[in-house]
Amino acid sequence: MFERILKVFTEVTGVENPDITPKTKINKIPELSSLGVVQLICGLEDEFDVEIPNSVLKKIKTVGDVVKFLEKNAD
């Protein structure tokens, strides 16, 4: 799961082997602009064939939060 998230991150930012852990705060990732965050969310939705509702997006603060959501909701 985490490896697939990193793959999407790399596709969005072009950064190979990013220094990201589940505790990394999404708004503190220097490679992600606000547009990059939107692209990351869209990429994750495509990769995991899931829709992440706005109500959930407001609660997601860390990469670990993304992992938890996807583990519960992705196919």
Side-chain angles (χ1 to χ4, degrees), residues 3-6 12 16 18 21 25 28 30 32 34-35 40-41 43 45-46 48 51 55 58 60 65-66 70 73:
E3 293 78 25
R4 288 173 68 190
I5 292 171
L6 290 179
V12 169
E16 295 286 333
T21 69
K25 293 185 179 189
K28 299 294 183 184
L32 282 180
S34 54
L35 176 60
L40 178 64
I41 297 304
E45 288 177 332
D46 289 344
F48 292 94
E51 184 176 334
S55 60
K58 291 177 184 178
I60 290 177
D65 294 338
V66 173
L70 293 174
N73 298 286

Side-chain angles (χ1 to χ4, degrees), residues 12-69:
V12 169
T13 64
V15 175
E16 295 286 333
N17 302 316
D19 186 24
I20 295 175
T21 69
K23 293 183 180 181
T24 301
K25 293 185 179 189
I26 293 174
N27 66 347
K28 299 294 183 184
I29 300 173
E31 298 86 3
L32 282 180
S33 63
S34 54
L35 176 60
V37 172
V38 172
Q39 291 173 319
L40 178 64
I41 297 304
C42 290
L44 292 171
E45 288 177 332
D46 289 344
E47 175 71 21
F48 292 94
D49 194 30
V50 66
E51 184 176 334
I52 305 173
N54 285 337
S55 60
V56 172
L57 288 174
K58 291 177 184 178
K59 297 176 186 175
I60 290 177
K61 304 296 180 202
T62 67
V63 174
D65 294 338
V66 173
V67 172
K68 287 177 191 174
F69 174 80

